[in-house]
Amino acid sequence: MMGAFVFDWQSPKAHSPHSFLNGCGMPAAPLEWSDLRVFLAIARAGSLGGAGRRLGQSQPTMGRRLRALEAAVGARLFQRSSSGFSLTDEGIIMLRHAEVMEAEAQALARELTGRDGSLEGVLRLTCSDWFGRIMLAPVIAEFQRLNPAVILELLTDARIYSLARREADLVIRIADFDEPEVIARRLVTVGYGLYAKPETWQPVTGDGAGCPLIVMDTSFGAMPDVAWLTRTFPNAHIAARSNSRDVQAQLCALGVGLAVLPVPLGETTAGIEKVKLDIDPPSRDNWLGFHMDLRRLPRLRAFVDLLVARLSSP
């Protein structure tokens, strides 16, 4: 729908008679929003291939559309080099205005969507892999039985999805939200435990010598369970790393080492058992958040109500 939107810089309805294109000496020309989406994707990805993947288009198509856009505005917007695409001075000016237009277009889409009074359409959710499989899937199944006209999309990769850009309608994560436009609440507190394949290792608190550990990858090194493992078993050694709790659980079941896992995951993974210790790893709060513009969207409100009823901690 947004691809058909045309912003005519020469129109008397434009916000200012002096557009940023005229301001830098380029000829004013009608620009389609779809062209600016291409420009923004290239500016953010730094390459035609990366931008094409974001928009679902081929690299040659992205190149043709960029050349057409640069011809329309009469200026080169990117410097090409072996390291990728970088903005020219004209491109920097274009970026500033294109981001404002993007934000306004997204706000309009969110507000119009929020006025939709039907329990139908698509609802996009994102959370971690294990949480989606164990905690969220049963709620999704129940919700779909109650509301068969709603299509639920669940994304469980490690990418951080933007609520402002409508990349996701509802986000569940272990970090609270500090964005002012996001409505958030604590959903559930999840306990964690140390798990091992039966009859393998029984680590001694304060030592852990000879015990292999399965931990989060280095980009998640600041997580509480990593610090707890290091502090509790200072003489243990790392055998494997993964940013996926599901993968950690499977490695644990295969006898690779000990792993700190969410209790719901550990208790449903065959071939492992919780190690009895004087003190368990720290628990984690899971938060849900959605953009305030969608607070009146019936399908979102209905799903959040069911989610809170089934999972919310007292």
Side-chain angles (χ1 to χ4, degrees), residues 9-295:
W9 296 99
Q10 295 175 312
S11 169
K13 295 182 180 180
H15 291 297
S16 169
H18 305 290
S19 74
F20 77 91
L21 295 177
N22 289 331
C24 60
M26 294 185 284
L31 295 177
E32 292 191 7
W33 170 240
S34 59
D35 292 333
L36 293 180
R37 288 183 68 232
V38 168
F39 167 77
L40 286 169
I42 298 172
R44 289 163 178 164
S47 68
L48 294 177
R53 287 189 292 273
R54 288 177 179 227
L55 299 182
Q57 299 188 25
S58 68
Q59 182 171 330
T61 297
M62 298 298 288
R64 286 194 299 271
R65 296 191 64 178
L66 175 58
R67 288 192 295 273
L69 176 61
E70 290 182 325
V73 300
R76 184 174 290 273
L77 302 174
F78 294 96
Q79 289 286 351
R80 285 76 160 171
S81 69
S82 58
S83 60
F85 282 54
S86 58
L87 290 167
T88 62
D89 290 344
E90 292 82 2
I92 292 172
I93 295 172
M94 173 82 84
L95 178 65
R96 185 170 67 249
H97 289 269
E99 286 180 332
V100 172
M101 292 177 63
E102 178 189 48
E104 289 297 323
Q106 290 164 350
L108 172 61
R110 288 194 305 268
E111 188 166 347
L112 291 177
T113 301
R115 293 177 179 272
D116 179 5
S118 61
L119 278 177
E120 61 182 13
V122 176
L123 193 62
R124 177 173 286 193
L125 324 169
T126 178
C127 64
S128 62
D129 53 0
W130 80 266
F131 195 96
R133 183 172 62 85
I134 295 176
M135 307 288 285
L136 209 53
V139 181
I140 290 175
E142 180 180 358
F143 183 83
Q144 210 283 325
R145 287 193 297 270
L146 296 171
N147 305 281
V150 178
I151 301 171
L152 290 158
E153 294 184 359
L154 179 58
L155 310 170
T156 60
D157 57 271
R159 176 185 166 191
I160 298 177
Y161 289 85
S162 170
L163 290 170
R165 294 177 185 169
R166 288 298 304 279
E167 293 177 338
D169 300 314
L170 179 68
V171 172
I172 300 172
R173 69 189 196 190
I174 57 176
D176 194 3
F177 296 81
D178 55 10
E179 299 93 329
E181 70 277 11
V182 172
I183 296 174
R185 63 158 289 167
R186 184 171 63 86
L187 176 62
V188 59
T189 300
V190 175
Y192 282 63
L194 183 68
Y195 288 84
K197 187 175 182 179
E199 301 179 1
T200 51
W201 302 280
Q202 183 61 50
V204 176
T205 302
D207 184 8
C211 293
L213 303 178
I214 303 166
V215 300
M216 300 298 292
D217 71 279
T218 53
S219 63
F220 290 88
M223 294 189 72
D225 56 282
V226 177
W228 180 87
L229 274 172
T230 303
R231 183 175 63 253
T232 307
F233 307 113
N235 297 320
H237 63 280
I238 295 174
R241 294 188 176 96
S242 175
N243 67 345
S244 166
R245 295 291 189 186
D246 268 334
V247 171
Q248 291 180 16
Q250 291 306 308
L251 291 175
C252 184
L254 291 169
V256 174
L258 298 136
V260 171
L261 301 172
V263 170
L265 173 59
E267 298 305 305
T268 55
T269 300
I272 63 175
E273 62 183 13
K274 189 177 179 183
V275 178
K276 294 181 179 179
L277 298 169
D278 296 334
I279 182 170
D280 286 326
S283 60
R284 301 298 303 271
D285 288 335
N286 287 258
W287 298 78
L288 68 81
F290 55 90
H291 200 281
M292 62 184 302
D293 289 347
L294 298 184
R295 63 189 181 279

